[in-house]
Amino acid sequence: MGVLLAYLFLSTYLNDKAKFYNIYKIPVIVPHTIAAFLVFTIFSQSGFLSRIFFRLGFINNMVEFYPMTFDTKGIGVILAYVWKGAPFITLITYDILKKVSDTYSKAALNLGANNFQVFWYILFPLVLPTILLGFIILFTFSFGAYEIPYLLGPSKPKALPVLAYIYYKSVNLKDRPYSMVINVFIILFSLVLAFLYILLNKIIKKNME
C-alpha cells in the first residue's frame, strides 16, 4: 500500500497538491496507543463502522458485526500497524522513486506498456531493496512492540511481548523465568533482523557504486 501510494503521488496530480501530499504523514507522528484507540473506535463491534451498518440495515444488531478487535486473527492489530506503517514506506519509497530516471518508464510507455506494467516491471524492481529495508525496520519494531497487541489483540493467543509482561507481573515468581526467556528470544531475533538490515544495506550501497 505504501509503495502504490508513493507511485500515485509521483505519477499523478497529487504530486502538485502539497497540502494533500502531507496528510499521509500524519499517522507517522501519531503514538501507537492513539492508533489503537482509533482502530477500536472505528472497527470494534460497538464502534463507528458497526453503528453505520446497523443504521443502514445490513445487520440486525451490532453483535452481528464481524469482530475486528480482540479477535484471534489479529485483524485490529494488523489494521493499526498498516495505518502506522504504510505512510513510513510511502515516505522512503517516494524519495527513491523521485531519484529514479524516467528514461525506462518513458521507453516502456512508448512501446505500449500501461502505467501498472511500468510500475510492476520497471519501477518496483528498482525500489525493491529499499522496500525490503523498510520491511525489516517495521517488522522488527512490530515483533517486539507491546502497546497495540495489548490493547487490540486477543486474549489467546497473546503476542510474545504481552505474554512476557504477564509472566513478569505474575504473583507466582516461578513464571518470571518464562518472561526472561521470551525477552531473550525477542532480542536475539531482533539482532538477526538487524544483521540482515546491515547486510542488505551494504549490498545496496555496493550495487549503487
Side-chain angles (χ1 to χ4, degrees), residues 50-69:
S50 65
R51 294 176 185 272
I52 293 179
F53 277 38
F54 175 72
R55 294 292 183 181
L56 294 177
F58 294 139
I59 55 178
N60 295 323
N61 55 71
M62 289 186 290
V63 179
E64 294 181 3
F65 185 77
Y66 187 82
M68 296 186 184
T69 56

Side-chain angles (χ1 to χ4, degrees), residues 97-114:
L97 286 174
K98 285 197 302 183
K99 298 177 182 178
V100 174
S101 175
D102 60 351
T103 303
Y104 298 114
S105 300
K106 290 181 179 179
L109 290 172
N110 290 332
L111 292 174
N114 55 42

Side-chain angles (χ1 to χ4, degrees), residues 4-67:
L4 290 175
L5 187 59
Y7 178 65
L8 288 175
F9 279 129
L10 187 69
S11 61
T12 67
Y13 72 96
L14 296 179
N15 188 30
D16 299 326
K17 306 294 184 180
K19 293 182 179 180
F20 185 84
Y21 171 71
N22 289 321
I23 291 177
Y24 85 93
K25 299 179 182 178
I26 294 177
V28 177
I29 62 176
V30 174
H32 284 77
T33 51
I34 303 300
F37 174 75
L38 290 174
V39 170
F40 177 80
T41 303
I42 298 173
F43 296 102
S44 66
Q45 286 187 316
S46 60
F48 184 72
L49 193 59
S50 65
R51 294 176 185 272
I52 293 179
F53 277 38
F54 175 72
R55 294 292 183 181
L56 294 177
F58 294 139
I59 55 178
N60 295 323
N61 55 71
M62 289 186 290
V63 179
E64 294 181 3
F65 185 77
Y66 187 82

Side-chain angles (χ1 to χ4, degrees), residues 96-138:
I96 298 299
L97 286 174
K98 285 197 302 183
K99 298 177 182 178
V100 174
S101 175
D102 60 351
T103 303
Y104 298 114
S105 300
K106 290 181 179 179
L109 290 172
N110 290 332
L111 292 174
N114 55 42
N115 288 330
F116 176 78
Q117 290 173 327
V118 170
F119 168 76
W120 185 251
Y121 293 107
I122 298 176
L123 296 179
F124 184 77
L126 293 175
V127 300
L128 182 59
T130 302
I131 298 171
L132 292 177
L133 290 177
F135 167 78
I136 293 175
I137 294 173
L138 291 176

Side-chain angles (χ1 to χ4, degrees), residues 109 134 149-150 180:
L109 290 172
Y150 179 77
M180 301 304 176

